[in-house]
Amino acid sequence: MGPHLAGALVLDVGSVKVKPARLMDDRLAPGVRVVGTHPLFGPQSGKAGIAGLRIAVCAVRGDRDARRVAAFCRKALKLRVFLVTPEDHDREAAVVQGLTHLIARALLAMEPLPTRMTTASFDRLMEAVDMVRHDSPAVFRAIERDNPFAAEVRERFFALADEARGKAGEG
């Protein structure tokens, strides 16, 4: 497709930004305009409409196109827009998405879970699990493997979980 994209605006909509931004910048011809985007919602959270939901917009080849995409998202789609670098996006997404998907995977593996005598906080955890329950394994892999900051976040989480486990066992 590359030779047919001269002057075109190419957007990605993936959960990870550093790697795709680098690939698009390296492999697409200089005349191709490139902006990275990440709608911070999926089919479950956007099923009642997307107005007010969030989207990250990352300049890859200059700020002008990214600002124009951000303005469109803000005005036409009524989204809350965050203009960020691919690195800043992935650093935050490693925590926000990485932990959500990791914890959801663990809770899904523990099913069946109680549904009768639950607390409000447990119900909210299960809402989070349900929002990612049907995501493909490829989404989980991208979030956990392709994000350059995810491994560090996972290691910190597991270290703190081990610390909490030790305190839970203290008498």
Side-chain angles (χ1 to χ4, degrees):
M1 274 182 33
H4 305 286
L5 295 176
L9 174 61
V10 174
L11 305 169
D12 84 299
V13 293
S15 298
V16 177
K17 295 276 79 63
V18 170
K19 185 177 177 181
R22 188 178 307 121
L23 286 171
M24 290 186 294
D25 195 32
D26 290 347
R27 295 185 182 176
L28 295 175
V32 178
R33 297 155 34 227
V34 180
V35 175
T37 70
H38 179 200
L40 300 165
F41 55 90
Q44 285 301 106
S45 48
K47 66 184 174 188
I50 63 170
L53 298 179
R54 299 173 175 101
I55 187 168
V57 176
C58 305
V60 176
R61 291 187 172 170
D63 292 338
R64 183 172 182 239
D65 287 318
R67 285 194 312 272
R68 292 178 80 191
V69 168
F72 172 80
C73 290
R74 196 176 293 115
K75 292 176 186 162
L77 303 177
K78 307 294 186 225
L79 294 171
R80 292 177 56 198
V81 178
F82 298 90
L83 277 162
V84 294
T85 66
E87 292 79 11
D88 285 344
H89 169 277
D90 284 0
R91 190 173 286 110
E92 287 190 44
V95 175
V96 172
Q97 281 193 299
L99 288 180
T100 300
H101 282 257
L102 190 68
I103 293 166
R105 279 282 172 124
L107 289 171
L108 284 167
M110 293 178 69
E111 288 186 332
L113 293 166
T115 57
R116 190 173 55 132
M117 293 188 303
T118 63
T119 62
S121 57
F122 183 82
D123 291 342
R124 286 192 178 91
L125 272 177
M126 295 315 299
E127 285 176 30
V129 168
D130 287 339
M131 292 179 95
V132 300
R133 175 183 298 278
H134 301 292
D135 285 357
S136 73
V139 170
F140 181 73
R141 279 194 306 275
I143 289 168
E144 294 297 340
R145 294 183 192 165
D146 293 341
N147 185 321
F149 304 99
E152 179 183 335
V153 169
R154 274 194 315 276
E155 291 307 313
R156 182 166 184 241
F157 174 78
F158 287 130
L160 293 169
D162 283 342
E163 195 176 298
R165 178 179 19 207
K167 289 179 181 172
E170 292 176 3

